[in-house]
Amino acid sequence: MTMGAPTSARRPLDVTVVLFDDGLSSTAVMPIEIFYAAGKLWNILHAKPERPPFRVRTVTIDGEPVRSPYGLSIRPETAIDAVTHSDIVIVPTSGLDLDLKLVEHSALLPWLRRHYAAGAYIVGVCMGAAYLAEAGLLDGRIGTTHWAVAGDFVRRFPQVRWHPELFVTEDQRVLCSGGVGSAIDISLYLVEKFCGHEVALQTAKALLLPMPRLHQTQSGYAVLPVSRAHEDARIGQIEAWLLENFRAEISTQQLASRAGMSEKTFVRHFKAATGRLPAAYVQALRIEAAKVLLEHENRPVQVIAESIGYSDLAFFRSLFKRATGMTPQQYRAAFAPISVRGHAPMEFHVAPIAAL
């Protein structure tokens, strides 16, 4: 990424963080604390002069306090209309009922457009990207969001070039991040962009935070559906059978015979119902099973690969990395609890399709 010059010799940049009712407060609070700490906390801890490069303020649509779904109330400094200038605007998550929230917060949309036109960087954290897309700021641009809502966002905002596998995107002063924890990633990314790597690193160290995950992907975090909803009973029966037998070597002809169809007809019906070809479907089941085992067992990766139907370790590693963006070892390091290392192997179950 291209870094801006450090801001110590310039005026502090104005950061405006929007607050919503019913949102996950951390997607607003983490940016507030990171921008507030930049140039300050590290210096305080080392008895050096404070050099804050940012001024942070909080706003709501009407200036009134907001309340999270778990009862946390936050009082803003002011209403959005009182803000005449901002260099950076942070839009966090709101409630999951996006249809309702986009209407409730419709006054935010022209306000975002005005600040973007005036030169501000506009940032959507997790589902906050929906407000950027609804305002038209992401039209023709790259964006990301939480993997679980990515499909809905693709349908709602087809003009956006969605990349839900990424944690952070930036395209012409419009930035998005995927997932709650990515509030940290995108905030430190901006600290680094405007203040340089050293200030960002000091900020991360002072707060005991990791530096941004710019070269990782979300796909390892996603429990993606193996199949989409459908009403093809014969294909549903095949899917149920595969849940119990995905470890075995299975040919498409065997599946077609089990379904009472010709191979060509079966492949057509299976792809129409599930969105995947049979071989890709089996691979997806195996990868989901591998994730469960890597999260809960300390057996060697070779043994896990063999237990789900892959004798070729290199081939399994290649498939796993293509599906998750991580090697099996990286996935285990990211998601397995420390206590697992001392546990004996456990039984596992691949969840039914409806629960995946």
PDB file of all heavy atoms in Angstrom, residues 5 13 34 37 74 108 119 146 150 177 180 195 203 210-211 222 243 258 265 273 320 338 352:
ATOM      1  N   ALA A   5       2.590  10.628   4.217  1.00  0.00           N
ATOM      2  CA  ALA A   5       3.637  11.112   5.108  1.00  0.00           C
ATOM      3  C   ALA A   5       3.101  11.195   6.520  1.00  0.00           C
ATOM      4  O   ALA A   5       1.912  11.412   6.739  1.00  0.00           O
ATOM      5  CB  ALA A   5       4.104  12.486   4.634  1.00  0.00           C
ATOM      6  N   LEU A  13      -5.735  14.893  11.903  1.00  0.00           N
ATOM      7  CA  LEU A  13      -6.819  14.521  10.997  1.00  0.00           C
ATOM      8  C   LEU A  13      -8.076  14.255  11.811  1.00  0.00           C
ATOM      9  O   LEU A  13      -8.034  13.640  12.877  1.00  0.00           O
ATOM     10  CB  LEU A  13      -6.442  13.277  10.197  1.00  0.00           C
ATOM     11  CG  LEU A  13      -5.236  13.410   9.261  1.00  0.00           C
ATOM     12  CD1 LEU A  13      -4.926  12.068   8.618  1.00  0.00           C
ATOM     13  CD2 LEU A  13      -5.490  14.465   8.192  1.00  0.00           C
ATOM     14  N   ILE A  34      -8.289   2.956  18.830  1.00  0.00           N
ATOM     15  CA  ILE A  34      -7.039   2.887  18.068  1.00  0.00           C
ATOM     16  C   ILE A  34      -6.620   4.269  17.570  1.00  0.00           C
ATOM     17  O   ILE A  34      -5.457   4.676  17.720  1.00  0.00           O
ATOM     18  CB  ILE A  34      -7.178   1.891  16.896  1.00  0.00           C
ATOM     19  CG1 ILE A  34      -7.206   0.460  17.445  1.00  0.00           C
ATOM     20  CG2 ILE A  34      -6.022   2.052  15.896  1.00  0.00           C
ATOM     21  CD1 ILE A  34      -7.540  -0.586  16.414  1.00  0.00           C
ATOM     22  N   ALA A  37      -5.463   6.294  20.520  1.00  0.00           N
ATOM     23  CA  ALA A  37      -4.179   5.862  21.087  1.00  0.00           C
ATOM     24  C   ALA A  37      -2.996   6.190  20.184  1.00  0.00           C
ATOM     25  O   ALA A  37      -1.862   6.328  20.675  1.00  0.00           O
ATOM     26  CB  ALA A  37      -4.216   4.362  21.357  1.00  0.00           C
ATOM     27  N   ILE A  74     -24.217   4.185  24.603  1.00  0.00           N
ATOM     28  CA  ILE A  74     -23.114   5.087  24.285  1.00  0.00           C
ATOM     29  C   ILE A  74     -23.702   6.437  23.902  1.00  0.00           C
ATOM     30  O   ILE A  74     -24.590   6.520  23.053  1.00  0.00           O
ATOM     31  CB  ILE A  74     -22.249   4.552  23.130  1.00  0.00           C
ATOM     32  CG1 ILE A  74     -21.769   3.127  23.416  1.00  0.00           C
ATOM     33  CG2 ILE A  74     -21.054   5.479  22.887  1.00  0.00           C
ATOM     34  CD1 ILE A  74     -20.947   2.523  22.295  1.00  0.00           C
ATOM     35  N   LEU A 108     -28.171   9.109   6.734  1.00  0.00           N
ATOM     36  CA  LEU A 108     -26.715   8.967   6.690  1.00  0.00           C
ATOM     37  C   LEU A 108     -26.184   8.973   5.255  1.00  0.00           C
ATOM     38  O   LEU A 108     -25.053   9.413   5.012  1.00  0.00           O
ATOM     39  CB  LEU A 108     -26.315   7.651   7.371  1.00  0.00           C
ATOM     40  CG  LEU A 108     -24.824   7.358   7.490  1.00  0.00           C
ATOM     41  CD1 LEU A 108     -24.158   8.339   8.447  1.00  0.00           C
ATOM     42  CD2 LEU A 108     -24.596   5.917   7.952  1.00  0.00           C
ATOM     43  N   GLY A 119     -13.638  15.061   0.010  1.00  0.00           N
ATOM     44  CA  GLY A 119     -12.294  14.498   0.117  1.00  0.00           C
ATOM     45  C   GLY A 119     -12.066  13.523   1.245  1.00  0.00           C
ATOM     46  O   GLY A 119     -10.940  13.064   1.448  1.00  0.00           O
ATOM     47  N   HIS A 146     -18.531  -9.137   5.895  1.00  0.00           N
ATOM     48  CA  HIS A 146     -18.493 -10.425   6.589  1.00  0.00           C
ATOM     49  C   HIS A 146     -18.942 -11.527   5.632  1.00  0.00           C
ATOM     50  O   HIS A 146     -19.905 -11.371   4.888  1.00  0.00           O
ATOM     51  CB  HIS A 146     -19.416 -10.380   7.806  1.00  0.00           C
ATOM     52  CG  HIS A 146     -19.237 -11.522   8.745  1.00  0.00           C
ATOM     53  ND1 HIS A 146     -19.684 -12.791   8.473  1.00  0.00           N
ATOM     54  CD2 HIS A 146     -18.629 -11.589   9.963  1.00  0.00           C
ATOM     55  CE1 HIS A 146     -19.390 -13.599   9.469  1.00  0.00           C
ATOM     56  NE2 HIS A 146     -18.744 -12.893  10.397  1.00  0.00           N
ATOM     57  N   ALA A 150     -22.180 -11.982   2.654  1.00  0.00           N
ATOM     58  CA  ALA A 150     -21.645 -11.632   1.339  1.00  0.00           C
ATOM     59  C   ALA A 150     -22.612 -11.977   0.209  1.00  0.00           C
ATOM     60  O   ALA A 150     -22.787 -11.196  -0.733  1.00  0.00           O
ATOM     61  CB  ALA A 150     -20.304 -12.330   1.118  1.00  0.00           C
ATOM     62  N   SER A 177     -14.026  -3.455   5.426  1.00  0.00           N
ATOM     63  CA  SER A 177     -13.364  -4.540   6.129  1.00  0.00           C
ATOM     64  C   SER A 177     -14.389  -5.617   6.431  1.00  0.00           C
ATOM     65  O   SER A 177     -15.573  -5.346   6.556  1.00  0.00           O
ATOM     66  CB  SER A 177     -12.710  -4.037   7.418  1.00  0.00           C
ATOM     67  OG  SER A 177     -13.682  -3.635   8.360  1.00  0.00           O
ATOM     68  N   VAL A 180     -16.002  -8.546  12.500  1.00  0.00           N
ATOM     69  CA  VAL A 180     -15.903  -7.648  13.651  1.00  0.00           C
ATOM     70  C   VAL A 180     -14.447  -7.320  13.966  1.00  0.00           C
ATOM     71  O   VAL A 180     -14.076  -6.161  14.166  1.00  0.00           O
ATOM     72  CB  VAL A 180     -16.589  -8.284  14.876  1.00  0.00           C
ATOM     73  CG1 VAL A 180     -16.344  -7.451  16.124  1.00  0.00           C
ATOM     74  CG2 VAL A 180     -18.094  -8.427  14.621  1.00  0.00           C
ATOM     75  N   CYS A 195       0.294   7.812   8.987  1.00  0.00           N
ATOM     76  CA  CYS A 195       1.336   8.142   9.971  1.00  0.00           C
ATOM     77  C   CYS A 195       2.615   7.354   9.788  1.00  0.00           C
ATOM     78  O   CYS A 195       3.603   7.635  10.460  1.00  0.00           O
ATOM     79  CB  CYS A 195       0.813   7.909  11.383  1.00  0.00           C
ATOM     80  SG  CYS A 195      -0.724   8.754  11.750  1.00  0.00           S
ATOM     81  N   THR A 203       1.428   1.768  18.011  1.00  0.00           N
ATOM     82  CA  THR A 203       0.027   1.736  18.456  1.00  0.00           C
ATOM     83  C   THR A 203      -0.420   0.305  18.733  1.00  0.00           C
ATOM     84  O   THR A 203      -1.059   0.016  19.753  1.00  0.00           O
ATOM     85  CB  THR A 203      -0.883   2.383  17.397  1.00  0.00           C
ATOM     86  OG1 THR A 203      -0.415   3.698  17.108  1.00  0.00           O
ATOM     87  CG2 THR A 203      -2.322   2.441  17.883  1.00  0.00           C
ATOM     88  N   PRO A 210      -2.539  -7.294  17.096  1.00  0.00           N
ATOM     89  CA  PRO A 210      -1.755  -7.718  15.937  1.00  0.00           C
ATOM     90  C   PRO A 210      -1.815  -6.655  14.849  1.00  0.00           C
ATOM     91  O   PRO A 210      -2.771  -5.888  14.764  1.00  0.00           O
ATOM     92  CB  PRO A 210      -2.468  -9.001  15.484  1.00  0.00           C
ATOM     93  CG  PRO A 210      -3.896  -8.776  15.897  1.00  0.00           C
ATOM     94  CD  PRO A 210      -3.823  -7.998  17.199  1.00  0.00           C
ATOM     95  N   MET A 211      -0.790  -6.608  14.019  1.00  0.00           N
ATOM     96  CA  MET A 211      -0.826  -5.715  12.866  1.00  0.00           C
ATOM     97  C   MET A 211      -1.859  -6.232  11.862  1.00  0.00           C
ATOM     98  O   MET A 211      -2.272  -7.392  11.915  1.00  0.00           O
ATOM     99  CB  MET A 211       0.558  -5.623  12.232  1.00  0.00           C
ATOM    100  CG  MET A 211       1.532  -4.782  13.048  1.00  0.00           C
ATOM    101  SD  MET A 211       1.035  -3.040  13.134  1.00  0.00           S
ATOM    102  CE  MET A 211       1.609  -2.449  11.526  1.00  0.00           C
ATOM    103  N   ALA A 222     -14.907 -18.935   7.497  1.00  0.00           N
ATOM    104  CA  ALA A 222     -16.274 -19.140   7.042  1.00  0.00           C
ATOM    105  C   ALA A 222     -16.676 -20.602   7.119  1.00  0.00           C
ATOM    106  O   ALA A 222     -15.942 -21.479   6.692  1.00  0.00           O
ATOM    107  CB  ALA A 222     -16.415 -18.658   5.592  1.00  0.00           C
ATOM    108  N   LEU A 243     -23.182 -37.274   3.233  1.00  0.00           N
ATOM    109  CA  LEU A 243     -22.770 -36.840   4.558  1.00  0.00           C
ATOM    110  C   LEU A 243     -22.206 -37.989   5.386  1.00  0.00           C
ATOM    111  O   LEU A 243     -21.336 -37.795   6.242  1.00  0.00           O
ATOM    112  CB  LEU A 243     -23.947 -36.216   5.308  1.00  0.00           C
ATOM    113  CG  LEU A 243     -24.268 -34.760   4.996  1.00  0.00           C
ATOM    114  CD1 LEU A 243     -25.577 -34.362   5.655  1.00  0.00           C
ATOM    115  CD2 LEU A 243     -23.141 -33.849   5.462  1.00  0.00           C
ATOM    116  N   ARG A 258     -27.433 -44.571  -7.838  1.00  0.00           N
ATOM    117  CA  ARG A 258     -28.167 -44.505  -6.572  1.00  0.00           C
ATOM    118  C   ARG A 258     -29.393 -43.609  -6.690  1.00  0.00           C
ATOM    119  O   ARG A 258     -30.422 -43.856  -6.058  1.00  0.00           O
ATOM    120  CB  ARG A 258     -27.230 -44.012  -5.472  1.00  0.00           C
ATOM    121  CG  ARG A 258     -27.859 -43.864  -4.109  1.00  0.00           C
ATOM    122  CD  ARG A 258     -26.798 -43.581  -3.060  1.00  0.00           C
ATOM    123  NE  ARG A 258     -25.990 -44.751  -2.806  1.00  0.00           N
ATOM    124  CZ  ARG A 258     -26.303 -45.713  -1.936  1.00  0.00           C
ATOM    125  NH1 ARG A 258     -27.432 -45.629  -1.219  1.00  0.00           N
ATOM    126  NH2 ARG A 258     -25.530 -46.749  -1.751  1.00  0.00           N
ATOM    127  N   THR A 265     -27.868 -36.867 -16.785  1.00  0.00           N
ATOM    128  CA  THR A 265     -29.049 -36.254 -16.158  1.00  0.00           C
ATOM    129  C   THR A 265     -28.775 -35.950 -14.682  1.00  0.00           C
ATOM    130  O   THR A 265     -29.154 -34.891 -14.166  1.00  0.00           O
ATOM    131  CB  THR A 265     -30.261 -37.192 -16.269  1.00  0.00           C
ATOM    132  OG1 THR A 265     -30.534 -37.424 -17.653  1.00  0.00           O
ATOM    133  CG2 THR A 265     -31.492 -36.580 -15.608  1.00  0.00           C
ATOM    134  N   ALA A 273     -29.445 -28.165  -8.351  1.00  0.00           N
ATOM    135  CA  ALA A 273     -29.962 -28.154  -6.980  1.00  0.00           C
ATOM    136  C   ALA A 273     -28.952 -27.607  -5.979  1.00  0.00           C
ATOM    137  O   ALA A 273     -29.296 -26.816  -5.101  1.00  0.00           O
ATOM    138  CB  ALA A 273     -30.377 -29.572  -6.568  1.00  0.00           C
ATOM    139  N   PHE A 320      -6.966 -27.660   0.447  1.00  0.00           N
ATOM    140  CA  PHE A 320      -7.332 -26.954   1.674  1.00  0.00           C
ATOM    141  C   PHE A 320      -6.974 -25.474   1.566  1.00  0.00           C
ATOM    142  O   PHE A 320      -7.771 -24.599   1.929  1.00  0.00           O
ATOM    143  CB  PHE A 320      -6.625 -27.592   2.871  1.00  0.00           C
ATOM    144  CG  PHE A 320      -7.159 -27.126   4.198  1.00  0.00           C
ATOM    145  CD1 PHE A 320      -8.203 -27.802   4.810  1.00  0.00           C
ATOM    146  CD2 PHE A 320      -6.630 -26.007   4.831  1.00  0.00           C
ATOM    147  CE1 PHE A 320      -8.712 -27.382   6.026  1.00  0.00           C
ATOM    148  CE2 PHE A 320      -7.131 -25.579   6.047  1.00  0.00           C
ATOM    149  CZ  PHE A 320      -8.172 -26.265   6.640  1.00  0.00           C
ATOM    150  N   ILE A 338      -5.507 -24.010  22.682  1.00  0.00           N
ATOM    151  CA  ILE A 338      -4.250 -24.550  23.189  1.00  0.00           C
ATOM    152  C   ILE A 338      -4.475 -25.890  23.879  1.00  0.00           C
ATOM    153  O   ILE A 338      -3.668 -26.805  23.780  1.00  0.00           O
ATOM    154  CB  ILE A 338      -3.607 -23.547  24.172  1.00  0.00           C
ATOM    155  CG1 ILE A 338      -3.191 -22.290  23.407  1.00  0.00           C
ATOM    156  CG2 ILE A 338      -2.406 -24.157  24.878  1.00  0.00           C
ATOM    157  CD1 ILE A 338      -2.682 -21.177  24.293  1.00  0.00           C
ATOM    158  N   PRO A 352     -25.383 -31.413   9.437  1.00  0.00           N
ATOM    159  CA  PRO A 352     -26.298 -31.484   8.301  1.00  0.00           C
ATOM    160  C   PRO A 352     -26.258 -30.221   7.482  1.00  0.00           C
ATOM    161  O   PRO A 352     -25.928 -29.150   7.983  1.00  0.00           O
ATOM    162  CB  PRO A 352     -27.668 -31.670   8.970  1.00  0.00           C
ATOM    163  CG  PRO A 352     -27.365 -32.230  10.324  1.00  0.00           C
ATOM    164  CD  PRO A 352     -26.051 -31.627  10.714  1.00  0.00           C
TER     165      PRO A 352
END
